[in-house]
Amino acid sequence: MRRLPVNLTSPLPVPFTSTPLGLQKDWIDYNGHLNMAYYNVLFDRGLDQAWDLLGIGATYAATRKLTTYTAEIHICYVRELHLGAQVTVTTQVLDADEKRLHVFQEINHVDGWLAATSESLTLHVDMAGPKVTPFPADIKANIDAMLAAHSQLPRPDRAGRTIGIKRRV
């Protein structure tokens, strides 16, 4: 069966921005702020919205038995979030090939300040294996369209960071 590409809106969102997301009470830790694990949940929920636009969300997994797995992720916690906060998650596609997506995200408080960043490498997976497999042509066209739109953006300052202790010489 031939699959038709998802009808991406024109112009594409640059970067993609999620709908506002709220924090749940049980996500707040004993320090009174968002537990570090739930920053990842927020990044994932924002990414789910971007994936839906690309045609690789939950419906894709259910109907085509193809999905994405995160291979690597690097989160920077910039500013604490507290119960009652509303945030959006931006997603910028930095690079892509036939099987992988390199994505940079930011969690921004609705008041405009940066709470956290995430850089990740995602693999396209055939769920029958599971094994890494190329994107179908219709999906690759969607990814290429978003990559082209996002190539207008500057590379984020926090992209490509490494973890380490800087030593004074």
Side-chain angles (χ1 to χ4, degrees), residues 3 6 51-52 54-68 124-125 127 133-136 138-140:
R3 307 277 183 194
V6 173
W51 273 193
D52 285 342
L54 289 173
I56 57 175
T59 300
Y60 179 71
T63 60
R64 293 174 79 171
K65 305 303 181 205
L66 298 167
T67 192
T68 59
H124 185 250
V125 174
M127 296 165 71
T133 191
F135 292 103
D138 60 327
I139 298 301
K140 184 67 166 92

mmCIF file with all atom_site columns, all heavy atoms in Angstrom, residues 3 6 51-52 54-68 124-125 127 133-136 138-140:
data_model
loop_
_atom_site.group_PDB
_atom_site.id
_atom_site.type_symbol
_atom_site.label_atom_id
_atom_site.label_alt_id
_atom_site.label_comp_id
_atom_site.label_asym_id
_atom_site.label_entity_id
_atom_site.label_seq_id
_atom_site.pdbx_PDB_ins_code
_atom_site.Cartn_x
_atom_site.Cartn_y
_atom_site.Cartn_z
_atom_site.occupancy
_atom_site.B_iso_or_equiv
_atom_site.pdbx_formal_charge
_atom_site.auth_seq_id
_atom_site.auth_comp_id
_atom_site.auth_asym_id
_atom_site.auth_atom_id
_atom_site.pdbx_PDB_model_num
ATOM 1   N N   . ARG A 1 3   ? 1.880  4.924  0.844  1.00 0.00 ? 3   ARG A N   1
ATOM 2   C CA  . ARG A 1 3   ? 1.604  5.862  1.929  1.00 0.00 ? 3   ARG A CA  1
ATOM 3   C C   . ARG A 1 3   ? 1.774  7.284  1.415  1.00 0.00 ? 3   ARG A C   1
ATOM 4   O O   . ARG A 1 3   ? 2.771  7.602  0.786  1.00 0.00 ? 3   ARG A O   1
ATOM 5   C CB  . ARG A 1 3   ? 2.568  5.649  3.098  1.00 0.00 ? 3   ARG A CB  1
ATOM 6   C CG  . ARG A 1 3   ? 2.624  4.238  3.608  1.00 0.00 ? 3   ARG A CG  1
ATOM 7   C CD  . ARG A 1 3   ? 1.508  3.982  4.564  1.00 0.00 ? 3   ARG A CD  1
ATOM 8   N NE  . ARG A 1 3   ? 1.649  2.632  5.076  1.00 0.00 ? 3   ARG A NE  1
ATOM 9   C CZ  . ARG A 1 3   ? 0.716  2.001  5.721  1.00 0.00 ? 3   ARG A CZ  1
ATOM 10  N NH1 . ARG A 1 3   ? -0.435 2.571  5.940  1.00 0.00 ? 3   ARG A NH1 1
ATOM 11  N NH2 . ARG A 1 3   ? 0.892  0.777  6.153  1.00 0.00 ? 3   ARG A NH2 1
ATOM 12  N N   . VAL A 1 6   ? 2.553  13.122 5.036  1.00 0.00 ? 6   VAL A N   1
ATOM 13  C CA  . VAL A 1 6   ? 1.784  14.003 5.903  1.00 0.00 ? 6   VAL A CA  1
ATOM 14  C C   . VAL A 1 6   ? 1.797  15.382 5.254  1.00 0.00 ? 6   VAL A C   1
ATOM 15  O O   . VAL A 1 6   ? 2.808  15.813 4.713  1.00 0.00 ? 6   VAL A O   1
ATOM 16  C CB  . VAL A 1 6   ? 2.429  14.061 7.306  1.00 0.00 ? 6   VAL A CB  1
ATOM 17  C CG1 . VAL A 1 6   ? 1.756  15.097 8.164  1.00 0.00 ? 6   VAL A CG1 1
ATOM 18  C CG2 . VAL A 1 6   ? 2.374  12.694 7.959  1.00 0.00 ? 6   VAL A CG2 1
ATOM 19  N N   . TRP A 1 51  ? 6.962  15.157 16.297 1.00 0.00 ? 51  TRP A N   1
ATOM 20  C CA  . TRP A 1 51  ? 6.924  13.880 15.569 1.00 0.00 ? 51  TRP A CA  1
ATOM 21  C C   . TRP A 1 51  ? 5.574  13.696 14.874 1.00 0.00 ? 51  TRP A C   1
ATOM 22  O O   . TRP A 1 51  ? 5.527  13.189 13.754 1.00 0.00 ? 51  TRP A O   1
ATOM 23  C CB  . TRP A 1 51  ? 7.185  12.721 16.505 1.00 0.00 ? 51  TRP A CB  1
ATOM 24  C CG  . TRP A 1 51  ? 8.601  12.294 16.763 1.00 0.00 ? 51  TRP A CG  1
ATOM 25  C CD1 . TRP A 1 51  ? 8.963  11.123 17.372 1.00 0.00 ? 51  TRP A CD1 1
ATOM 26  C CD2 . TRP A 1 51  ? 9.847  12.943 16.467 1.00 0.00 ? 51  TRP A CD2 1
ATOM 27  N NE1 . TRP A 1 51  ? 10.332 11.022 17.461 1.00 0.00 ? 51  TRP A NE1 1
ATOM 28  C CE2 . TRP A 1 51  ? 10.891 12.136 16.911 1.00 0.00 ? 51  TRP A CE2 1
ATOM 29  C CE3 . TRP A 1 51  ? 10.170 14.157 15.858 1.00 0.00 ? 51  TRP A CE3 1
ATOM 30  C CZ2 . TRP A 1 51  ? 12.243 12.474 16.761 1.00 0.00 ? 51  TRP A CZ2 1
ATOM 31  C CZ3 . TRP A 1 51  ? 11.512 14.508 15.721 1.00 0.00 ? 51  TRP A CZ3 1
ATOM 32  C CH2 . TRP A 1 51  ? 12.524 13.674 16.160 1.00 0.00 ? 51  TRP A CH2 1
ATOM 33  N N   . ASP A 1 52  ? 4.492  14.109 15.544 1.00 0.00 ? 52  ASP A N   1
ATOM 34  C CA  . ASP A 1 52  ? 3.173  14.027 14.905 1.00 0.00 ? 52  ASP A CA  1
ATOM 35  C C   . ASP A 1 52  ? 3.147  14.848 13.618 1.00 0.00 ? 52  ASP A C   1
ATOM 36  O O   . ASP A 1 52  ? 2.599  14.408 12.605 1.00 0.00 ? 52  ASP A O   1
ATOM 37  C CB  . ASP A 1 52  ? 2.071  14.500 15.854 1.00 0.00 ? 52  ASP A CB  1
ATOM 38  C CG  . ASP A 1 52  ? 1.745  13.499 16.950 1.00 0.00 ? 52  ASP A CG  1
ATOM 39  O OD1 . ASP A 1 52  ? 2.097  12.297 16.807 1.00 0.00 ? 52  ASP A OD1 1
ATOM 40  O OD2 . ASP A 1 52  ? 1.139  13.913 17.948 1.00 0.00 ? 52  ASP A OD2 1
ATOM 41  N N   . LEU A 1 54  ? 5.641  15.490 11.702 1.00 0.00 ? 54  LEU A N   1
ATOM 42  C CA  . LEU A 1 54  ? 6.456  14.791 10.704 1.00 0.00 ? 54  LEU A CA  1
ATOM 43  C C   . LEU A 1 54  ? 5.830  13.483 10.237 1.00 0.00 ? 54  LEU A C   1
ATOM 44  O O   . LEU A 1 54  ? 6.289  12.889 9.258  1.00 0.00 ? 54  LEU A O   1
ATOM 45  C CB  . LEU A 1 54  ? 7.852  14.501 11.272 1.00 0.00 ? 54  LEU A CB  1
ATOM 46  C CG  . LEU A 1 54  ? 8.759  15.705 11.458 1.00 0.00 ? 54  LEU A CG  1
ATOM 47  C CD1 . LEU A 1 54  ? 10.033 15.305 12.181 1.00 0.00 ? 54  LEU A CD1 1
ATOM 48  C CD2 . LEU A 1 54  ? 9.066  16.347 10.116 1.00 0.00 ? 54  LEU A CD2 1
ATOM 49  N N   . GLY A 1 55  ? 4.813  13.014 10.969 1.00 0.00 ? 55  GLY A N   1
ATOM 50  C CA  . GLY A 1 55  ? 4.175  11.750 10.607 1.00 0.00 ? 55  GLY A CA  1
ATOM 51  C C   . GLY A 1 55  ? 4.800  10.542 11.253 1.00 0.00 ? 55  GLY A C   1
ATOM 52  O O   . GLY A 1 55  ? 4.558  9.408  10.829 1.00 0.00 ? 55  GLY A O   1
ATOM 53  N N   . ILE A 1 56  ? 5.618  10.749 12.307 1.00 0.00 ? 56  ILE A N   1
ATOM 54  C CA  . ILE A 1 56  ? 6.304  9.627  12.963 1.00 0.00 ? 56  ILE A CA  1
ATOM 55  C C   . ILE A 1 56  ? 5.914  9.493  14.437 1.00 0.00 ? 56  ILE A C   1
ATOM 56  O O   . ILE A 1 56  ? 6.682  8.999  15.250 1.00 0.00 ? 56  ILE A O   1
ATOM 57  C CB  . ILE A 1 56  ? 7.841  9.711  12.811 1.00 0.00 ? 56  ILE A CB  1
ATOM 58  C CG1 . ILE A 1 56  ? 8.400  11.036 13.354 1.00 0.00 ? 56  ILE A CG1 1
ATOM 59  C CG2 . ILE A 1 56  ? 8.245  9.503  11.361 1.00 0.00 ? 56  ILE A CG2 1
ATOM 60  C CD1 . ILE A 1 56  ? 9.915  11.128 13.332 1.00 0.00 ? 56  ILE A CD1 1
ATOM 61  N N   . GLY A 1 57  ? 4.697  9.890  14.756 1.00 0.00 ? 57  GLY A N   1
ATOM 62  C CA  . GLY A 1 57  ? 4.209  9.826  16.134 1.00 0.00 ? 57  GLY A CA  1
ATOM 63  C C   . GLY A 1 57  ? 3.559  8.494  16.464 1.00 0.00 ? 57  GLY A C   1
ATOM 64  O O   . GLY A 1 57  ? 3.840  7.454  15.849 1.00 0.00 ? 57  GLY A O   1
ATOM 65  N N   . ALA A 1 58  ? 2.649  8.522  17.413 1.00 0.00 ? 58  ALA A N   1
ATOM 66  C CA  . ALA A 1 58  ? 2.008  7.309  17.928 1.00 0.00 ? 58  ALA A CA  1
ATOM 67  C C   . ALA A 1 58  ? 1.213  6.571  16.852 1.00 0.00 ? 58  ALA A C   1
ATOM 68  O O   . ALA A 1 58  ? 1.235  5.333  16.795 1.00 0.00 ? 58  ALA A O   1
ATOM 69  C CB  . ALA A 1 58  ? 1.104  7.657  19.107 1.00 0.00 ? 58  ALA A CB  1
ATOM 70  N N   . THR A 1 59  ? 0.528  7.285  15.994 1.00 0.00 ? 59  THR A N   1
ATOM 71  C CA  . THR A 1 59  ? -0.250 6.643  14.924 1.00 0.00 ? 59  THR A CA  1
ATOM 72  C C   . THR A 1 59  ? 0.671  5.899  13.965 1.00 0.00 ? 59  THR A C   1
ATOM 73  O O   . THR A 1 59  ? 0.367  4.789  13.518 1.00 0.00 ? 59  THR A O   1
ATOM 74  C CB  . THR A 1 59  ? -1.091 7.693  14.168 1.00 0.00 ? 59  THR A CB  1
ATOM 75  O OG1 . THR A 1 59  ? -1.972 8.318  15.095 1.00 0.00 ? 59  THR A OG1 1
ATOM 76  C CG2 . THR A 1 59  ? -1.886 7.062  13.044 1.00 0.00 ? 59  THR A CG2 1
ATOM 77  N N   . TYR A 1 60  ? 1.816  6.487  13.664 1.00 0.00 ? 60  TYR A N   1
ATOM 78  C CA  . TYR A 1 60  ? 2.825  5.860  12.803 1.00 0.00 ? 60  TYR A CA  1
ATOM 79  C C   . TYR A 1 60  ? 3.279  4.534  13.401 1.00 0.00 ? 60  TYR A C   1
ATOM 80  O O   . TYR A 1 60  ? 3.342  3.518  12.707 1.00 0.00 ? 60  TYR A O   1
ATOM 81  C CB  . TYR A 1 60  ? 3.989  6.841  12.660 1.00 0.00 ? 60  TYR A CB  1
ATOM 82  C CG  . TYR A 1 60  ? 5.163  6.407  11.835 1.00 0.00 ? 60  TYR A CG  1
ATOM 83  C CD1 . TYR A 1 60  ? 5.071  6.287  10.452 1.00 0.00 ? 60  TYR A CD1 1
ATOM 84  C CD2 . TYR A 1 60  ? 6.400  6.179  12.427 1.00 0.00 ? 60  TYR A CD2 1
ATOM 85  C CE1 . TYR A 1 60  ? 6.173  5.949  9.681  1.00 0.00 ? 60  TYR A CE1 1
ATOM 86  C CE2 . TYR A 1 60  ? 7.508  5.839  11.669 1.00 0.00 ? 60  TYR A CE2 1
ATOM 87  C CZ  . TYR A 1 60  ? 7.387  5.715  10.297 1.00 0.00 ? 60  TYR A CZ  1
ATOM 88  O OH  . TYR A 1 60  ? 8.483  5.384  9.537  1.00 0.00 ? 60  TYR A OH  1
ATOM 89  N N   . ALA A 1 61  ? 3.568  4.547  14.686 1.00 0.00 ? 61  ALA A N   1
ATOM 90  C CA  . ALA A 1 61  ? 4.008  3.314  15.353 1.00 0.00 ? 61  ALA A CA  1
ATOM 91  C C   . ALA A 1 61  ? 2.909  2.260  15.319 1.00 0.00 ? 61  ALA A C   1
ATOM 92  O O   . ALA A 1 61  ? 3.174  1.085  15.049 1.00 0.00 ? 61  ALA A O   1
ATOM 93  C CB  . ALA A 1 61  ? 4.431  3.612  16.786 1.00 0.00 ? 61  ALA A CB  1
ATOM 94  N N   . ALA A 1 62  ? 1.684  2.664  15.575 1.00 0.00 ? 62  ALA A N   1
ATOM 95  C CA  . ALA A 1 62  ? 0.567  1.716  15.624 1.00 0.00 ? 62  ALA A CA  1
ATOM 96  C C   . ALA A 1 62  ? 0.220  1.146  14.250 1.00 0.00 ? 62  ALA A C   1
ATOM 97  O O   . ALA A 1 62  ? -0.090 -0.041 14.136 1.00 0.00 ? 62  ALA A O   1
ATOM 98  C CB  . ALA A 1 62  ? -0.659 2.389  16.236 1.00 0.00 ? 62  ALA A CB  1
ATOM 99  N N   . THR A 1 63  ? 0.278  1.973  13.214 1.00 0.00 ? 63  THR A N   1
ATOM 100 C CA  . THR A 1 63  ? -0.178 1.521  11.896 1.00 0.00 ? 63  THR A CA  1
ATOM 101 C C   . THR A 1 63  ? 0.935  0.953  11.022 1.00 0.00 ? 63  THR A C   1
ATOM 102 O O   . THR A 1 63  ? 0.712  0.012  10.290 1.00 0.00 ? 63  THR A O   1
ATOM 103 C CB  . THR A 1 63  ? -0.877 2.661  11.128 1.00 0.00 ? 63  THR A CB  1
ATOM 104 O OG1 . THR A 1 63  ? 0.038  3.744  10.953 1.00 0.00 ? 63  THR A OG1 1
ATOM 105 C CG2 . THR A 1 63  ? -2.121 3.125  11.872 1.00 0.00 ? 63  THR A CG2 1
ATOM 106 N N   . ARG A 1 64  ? 2.125  1.535  11.139 1.00 0.00 ? 64  ARG A N   1
ATOM 107 C CA  . ARG A 1 64  ? 3.211  1.105  10.242 1.00 0.00 ? 64  ARG A CA  1
ATOM 108 C C   . ARG A 1 64  ? 4.243  0.238  10.955 1.00 0.00 ? 64  ARG A C   1
ATOM 109 O O   . ARG A 1 64  ? 5.159  -0.276 10.315 1.00 0.00 ? 64  ARG A O   1
ATOM 110 C CB  . ARG A 1 64  ? 3.860  2.322  9.604  1.00 0.00 ? 64  ARG A CB  1
ATOM 111 C CG  . ARG A 1 64  ? 2.857  3.017  8.651  1.00 0.00 ? 64  ARG A CG  1
ATOM 112 C CD  . ARG A 1 64  ? 3.336  4.309  8.070  1.00 0.00 ? 64  ARG A CD  1
ATOM 113 N NE  . ARG A 1 64  ? 4.261  4.109  6.970  1.00 0.00 ? 64  ARG A NE  1
ATOM 114 C CZ  . ARG A 1 64  ? 4.684  5.102  6.182  1.00 0.00 ? 64  ARG A CZ  1
ATOM 115 N NH1 . ARG A 1 64  ? 4.244  6.338  6.358  1.00 0.00 ? 64  ARG A NH1 1
ATOM 116 N NH2 . ARG A 1 64  ? 5.536  4.864  5.216  1.00 0.00 ? 64  ARG A NH2 1
ATOM 117 N N   . LYS A 1 65  ? 4.096  0.113  12.264 1.00 0.00 ? 65  LYS A N   1
ATOM 118 C CA  . LYS A 1 65  ? 5.017  -0.711 13.068 1.00 0.00 ? 65  LYS A CA  1
ATOM 119 C C   . LYS A 1 65  ? 6.463  -0.233 12.938 1.00 0.00 ? 65  LYS A C   1
ATOM 120 O O   . LYS A 1 65  ? 7.407  -1.005 12.981 1.00 0.00 ? 65  LYS A O   1
ATOM 121 C CB  . LYS A 1 65  ? 4.910  -2.194 12.722 1.00 0.00 ? 65  LYS A CB  1
ATOM 122 C CG  . LYS A 1 65  ? 3.498  -2.745 12.836 1.00 0.00 ? 65  LYS A CG  1
ATOM 123 C CD  . LYS A 1 65  ? 2.905  -2.542 14.209 1.00 0.00 ? 65  LYS A CD  1
ATOM 124 C CE  . LYS A 1 65  ? 1.500  -3.122 14.287 1.00 0.00 ? 65  LYS A CE  1
ATOM 125 N NZ  . LYS A 1 65  ? 0.701  -2.481 15.302 1.00 0.00 ? 65  LYS A NZ  1
ATOM 126 N N   . LEU A 1 66  ? 6.614  1.080  12.796 1.00 0.00 ? 66  LEU A N   1
ATOM 127 C CA  . LEU A 1 66  ? 7.904  1.755  12.768 1.00 0.00 ? 66  LEU A CA  1
ATOM 128 C C   . LEU A 1 66  ? 7.846  2.840  13.832 1.00 0.00 ? 66  LEU A C   1
ATOM 129 O O   . LEU A 1 66  ? 6.785  3.397  14.107 1.00 0.00 ? 66  LEU A O   1
ATOM 130 C CB  . LEU A 1 66  ? 8.160  2.378  11.392 1.00 0.00 ? 66  LEU A CB  1
ATOM 131 C CG  . LEU A 1 66  ? 8.222  1.404  10.219 1.00 0.00 ? 66  LEU A CG  1
ATOM 132 C CD1 . LEU A 1 66  ? 8.153  2.155  8.891  1.00 0.00 ? 66  LEU A CD1 1
ATOM 133 C CD2 . LEU A 1 66  ? 9.475  0.541  10.293 1.00 0.00 ? 66  LEU A CD2 1
ATOM 134 N N   . THR A 1 67  ? 8.988  3.132  14.431 1.00 0.00 ? 67  THR A N   1
ATOM 135 C CA  . THR A 1 67  ? 9.004  4.111  15.517 1.00 0.00 ? 67  THR A CA  1
ATOM 136 C C   . THR A 1 67  ? 10.395 4.716  15.639 1.00 0.00 ? 67  THR A C   1
ATOM 137 O O   . THR A 1 67  ? 11.266 4.473  14.802 1.00 0.00 ? 67  THR A O   1
ATOM 138 C CB  . THR A 1 67  ? 8.562  3.441  16.841 1.00 0.00 ? 67  THR A CB  1
ATOM 139 O OG1 . THR A 1 67  ? 8.306  4.454  17.820 1.00 0.00 ? 67  THR A OG1 1
ATOM 140 C CG2 . THR A 1 67  ? 9.600  2.451  17.368 1.00 0.00 ? 67  THR A CG2 1
ATOM 141 N N   . THR A 1 68  ? 10.600 5.509  16.673 1.00 0.00 ? 68  THR A N   1
ATOM 142 C CA  . THR A 1 68  ? 11.926 6.064  16.955 1.00 0.00 ? 68  THR A CA  1
ATOM 143 C C   . THR A 1 68  ? 12.337 5.695  18.368 1.00 0.00 ? 68  THR A C   1
ATOM 144 O O   . THR A 1 68  ? 11.503 5.577  19.264 1.00 0.00 ? 68  THR A O   1
ATOM 145 C CB  . THR A 1 68  ? 11.945 7.599  16.792 1.00 0.00 ? 68  THR A CB  1
ATOM 146 O OG1 . THR A 1 68  ? 10.994 8.182  17.673 1.00 0.00 ? 68  THR A OG1 1
ATOM 147 C CG2 . THR A 1 68  ? 11.651 8.014  15.358 1.00 0.00 ? 68  THR A CG2 1
ATOM 148 N N   . HIS A 1 124 ? 15.636 5.541  13.820 1.00 0.00 ? 124 HIS A N   1
ATOM 149 C CA  . HIS A 1 124 ? 14.392 5.036  13.251 1.00 0.00 ? 124 HIS A CA  1
ATOM 150 C C   . HIS A 1 124 ? 14.432 3.510  13.344 1.00 0.00 ? 124 HIS A C   1
ATOM 151 O O   . HIS A 1 124 ? 15.401 2.881  12.923 1.00 0.00 ? 124 HIS A O   1
ATOM 152 C CB  . HIS A 1 124 ? 14.246 5.486  11.798 1.00 0.00 ? 124 HIS A CB  1
ATOM 153 C CG  . HIS A 1 124 ? 12.943 5.101  11.209 1.00 0.00 ? 124 HIS A CG  1
ATOM 154 N ND1 . HIS A 1 124 ? 12.826 4.146  10.235 1.00 0.00 ? 124 HIS A ND1 1
ATOM 155 C CD2 . HIS A 1 124 ? 11.685 5.539  11.470 1.00 0.00 ? 124 HIS A CD2 1
ATOM 156 C CE1 . HIS A 1 124 ? 11.552 4.011  9.908  1.00 0.00 ? 124 HIS A CE1 1
ATOM 157 N NE2 . HIS A 1 124 ? 10.837 4.847  10.649 1.00 0.00 ? 124 HIS A NE2 1
ATOM 158 N N   . VAL A 1 125 ? 13.375 2.920  13.909 1.00 0.00 ? 125 VAL A N   1
ATOM 159 C CA  . VAL A 1 125 ? 13.394 1.499  14.255 1.00 0.00 ? 125 VAL A CA  1
ATOM 160 C C   . VAL A 1 125 ? 12.186 0.763  13.687 1.00 0.00 ? 125 VAL A C   1
ATOM 161 O O   . VAL A 1 125 ? 11.054 1.226  13.810 1.00 0.00 ? 125 VAL A O   1
ATOM 162 C CB  . VAL A 1 125 ? 13.437 1.339  15.804 1.00 0.00 ? 125 VAL A CB  1
ATOM 163 C CG1 . VAL A 1 125 ? 13.306 -0.114 16.221 1.00 0.00 ? 125 VAL A CG1 1
ATOM 164 C CG2 . VAL A 1 125 ? 14.716 1.951  16.357 1.00 0.00 ? 125 VAL A CG2 1
ATOM 165 N N   . MET A 1 127 ? 9.875  -2.056 14.435 1.00 0.00 ? 127 MET A N   1
ATOM 166 C CA  . MET A 1 127 ? 9.490  -2.678 15.696 1.00 0.00 ? 127 MET A CA  1
ATOM 167 C C   . MET A 1 127 ? 9.516  -4.211 15.617 1.00 0.00 ? 127 MET A C   1
ATOM 168 O O   . MET A 1 127 ? 9.597  -4.870 16.650 1.00 0.00 ? 127 MET A O   1
ATOM 169 C CB  . MET A 1 127 ? 8.108  -2.178 16.118 1.00 0.00 ? 127 MET A CB  1
ATOM 170 C CG  . MET A 1 127 ? 8.110  -0.676 16.411 1.00 0.00 ? 127 MET A CG  1
ATOM 171 S SD  . MET A 1 127 ? 6.469  0.068  16.505 1.00 0.00 ? 127 MET A SD  1
ATOM 172 C CE  . MET A 1 127 ? 5.874  -0.625 18.033 1.00 0.00 ? 127 MET A CE  1
ATOM 173 N N   . THR A 1 133 ? 16.375 1.004  10.902 1.00 0.00 ? 133 THR A N   1
ATOM 174 C CA  . THR A 1 133 ? 16.004 0.871  9.497  1.00 0.00 ? 133 THR A CA  1
ATOM 175 C C   . THR A 1 133 ? 15.816 2.251  8.877  1.00 0.00 ? 133 THR A C   1
ATOM 176 O O   . THR A 1 133 ? 15.515 3.220  9.592  1.00 0.00 ? 133 THR A O   1
ATOM 177 C CB  . THR A 1 133 ? 14.712 0.022  9.381  1.00 0.00 ? 133 THR A CB  1
ATOM 178 O OG1 . THR A 1 133 ? 14.496 -0.325 8.020  1.00 0.00 ? 133 THR A OG1 1
ATOM 179 C CG2 . THR A 1 133 ? 13.505 0.754  9.919  1.00 0.00 ? 133 THR A CG2 1
ATOM 180 N N   . PRO A 1 134 ? 15.973 2.377  7.562  1.00 0.00 ? 134 PRO A N   1
ATOM 181 C CA  . PRO A 1 134 ? 15.769 3.679  6.915  1.00 0.00 ? 134 PRO A CA  1
ATOM 182 C C   . PRO A 1 134 ? 14.321 4.164  7.033  1.00 0.00 ? 134 PRO A C   1
ATOM 183 O O   . PRO A 1 134 ? 13.384 3.373  7.084  1.00 0.00 ? 134 PRO A O   1
ATOM 184 C CB  . PRO A 1 134 ? 16.118 3.413  5.445  1.00 0.00 ? 134 PRO A CB  1
ATOM 185 C CG  . PRO A 1 134 ? 17.002 2.214  5.462  1.00 0.00 ? 134 PRO A CG  1
ATOM 186 C CD  . PRO A 1 134 ? 16.494 1.368  6.607  1.00 0.00 ? 134 PRO A CD  1
ATOM 187 N N   . PHE A 1 135 ? 14.159 5.487  7.040  1.00 0.00 ? 135 PHE A N   1
ATOM 188 C CA  . PHE A 1 135 ? 12.838 6.092  6.992  1.00 0.00 ? 135 PHE A CA  1
ATOM 189 C C   . PHE A 1 135 ? 12.210 5.794  5.638  1.00 0.00 ? 135 PHE A C   1
ATOM 190 O O   . PHE A 1 135 ? 12.899 5.826  4.614  1.00 0.00 ? 135 PHE A O   1
ATOM 191 C CB  . PHE A 1 135 ? 12.927 7.620  7.151  1.00 0.00 ? 135 PHE A CB  1
ATOM 192 C CG  . PHE A 1 135 ? 13.370 8.094  8.502  1.00 0.00 ? 135 PHE A CG  1
ATOM 193 C CD1 . PHE A 1 135 ? 14.675 8.546  8.698  1.00 0.00 ? 135 PHE A CD1 1
ATOM 194 C CD2 . PHE A 1 135 ? 12.490 8.125  9.570  1.00 0.00 ? 135 PHE A CD2 1
ATOM 195 C CE1 . PHE A 1 135 ? 15.088 9.005  9.936  1.00 0.00 ? 135 PHE A CE1 1
ATOM 196 C CE2 . PHE A 1 135 ? 12.893 8.575  10.816 1.00 0.00 ? 135 PHE A CE2 1
ATOM 197 C CZ  . PHE A 1 135 ? 14.197 9.014  11.005 1.00 0.00 ? 135 PHE A CZ  1
ATOM 198 N N   . PRO A 1 136 ? 10.900 5.542  5.581  1.00 0.00 ? 136 PRO A N   1
ATOM 199 C CA  . PRO A 1 136 ? 10.228 5.449  4.282  1.00 0.00 ? 136 PRO A CA  1
ATOM 200 C C   . PRO A 1 136 ? 10.343 6.787  3.542  1.00 0.00 ? 136 PRO A C   1
ATOM 201 O O   . PRO A 1 136 ? 10.507 7.849  4.165  1.00 0.00 ? 136 PRO A O   1
ATOM 202 C CB  . PRO A 1 136 ? 8.772  5.161  4.647  1.00 0.00 ? 136 PRO A CB  1
ATOM 203 C CG  . PRO A 1 136 ? 8.814  4.644  6.053  1.00 0.00 ? 136 PRO A CG  1
ATOM 204 C CD  . PRO A 1 136 ? 9.995  5.303  6.698  1.00 0.00 ? 136 PRO A CD  1
ATOM 205 N N   . ASP A 1 138 ? 8.230  8.813  2.089  1.00 0.00 ? 138 ASP A N   1
ATOM 206 C CA  . ASP A 1 138 ? 7.304  9.893  2.438  1.00 0.00 ? 138 ASP A CA  1
ATOM 207 C C   . ASP A 1 138 ? 7.716  10.575 3.734  1.00 0.00 ? 138 ASP A C   1
ATOM 208 O O   . ASP A 1 138 ? 7.662  11.798 3.845  1.00 0.00 ? 138 ASP A O   1
ATOM 209 C CB  . ASP A 1 138 ? 5.860  9.394  2.502  1.00 0.00 ? 138 ASP A CB  1
ATOM 210 C CG  . ASP A 1 138 ? 5.625  8.295  3.519  1.00 0.00 ? 138 ASP A CG  1
ATOM 211 O OD1 . ASP A 1 138 ? 6.531  7.467  3.744  1.00 0.00 ? 138 ASP A OD1 1
ATOM 212 O OD2 . ASP A 1 138 ? 4.520  8.261  4.096  1.00 0.00 ? 138 ASP A OD2 1
ATOM 213 N N   . ILE A 1 139 ? 8.169  9.806  4.683  1.00 0.00 ? 139 ILE A N   1
ATOM 214 C CA  . ILE A 1 139 ? 8.597  10.363 5.973  1.00 0.00 ? 139 ILE A CA  1
ATOM 215 C C   . ILE A 1 139 ? 9.912  11.112 5.803  1.00 0.00 ? 139 ILE A C   1
ATOM 216 O O   . ILE A 1 139 ? 10.092 12.210 6.350  1.00 0.00 ? 139 ILE A O   1
ATOM 217 C CB  . ILE A 1 139 ? 8.714  9.246  7.031  1.00 0.00 ? 139 ILE A CB  1
ATOM 218 C CG1 . ILE A 1 139 ? 7.347  8.582  7.271  1.00 0.00 ? 139 ILE A CG1 1
ATOM 219 C CG2 . ILE A 1 139 ? 9.328  9.770  8.313  1.00 0.00 ? 139 ILE A CG2 1
ATOM 220 C CD1 . ILE A 1 139 ? 6.248  9.512  7.748  1.00 0.00 ? 139 ILE A CD1 1
ATOM 221 N N   . LYS A 1 140 ? 10.822 10.544 5.036  1.00 0.00 ? 140 LYS A N   1
ATOM 222 C CA  . LYS A 1 140 ? 12.108 11.215 4.794  1.00 0.00 ? 140 LYS A CA  1
ATOM 223 C C   . LYS A 1 140 ? 11.875 12.570 4.123  1.00 0.00 ? 140 LYS A C   1
ATOM 224 O O   . LYS A 1 140 ? 12.558 13.555 4.436  1.00 0.00 ? 140 LYS A O   1
ATOM 225 C CB  . LYS A 1 140 ? 13.012 10.325 3.932  1.00 0.00 ? 140 LYS A CB  1
ATOM 226 C CG  . LYS A 1 140 ? 14.403 10.895 3.708  1.00 0.00 ? 140 LYS A CG  1
ATOM 227 C CD  . LYS A 1 140 ? 15.225 10.946 4.978  1.00 0.00 ? 140 LYS A CD  1
ATOM 228 C CE  . LYS A 1 140 ? 16.688 11.196 4.726  1.00 0.00 ? 140 LYS A CE  1
ATOM 229 N NZ  . LYS A 1 140 ? 17.078 12.598 4.744  1.00 0.00 ? 140 LYS A NZ  1
#
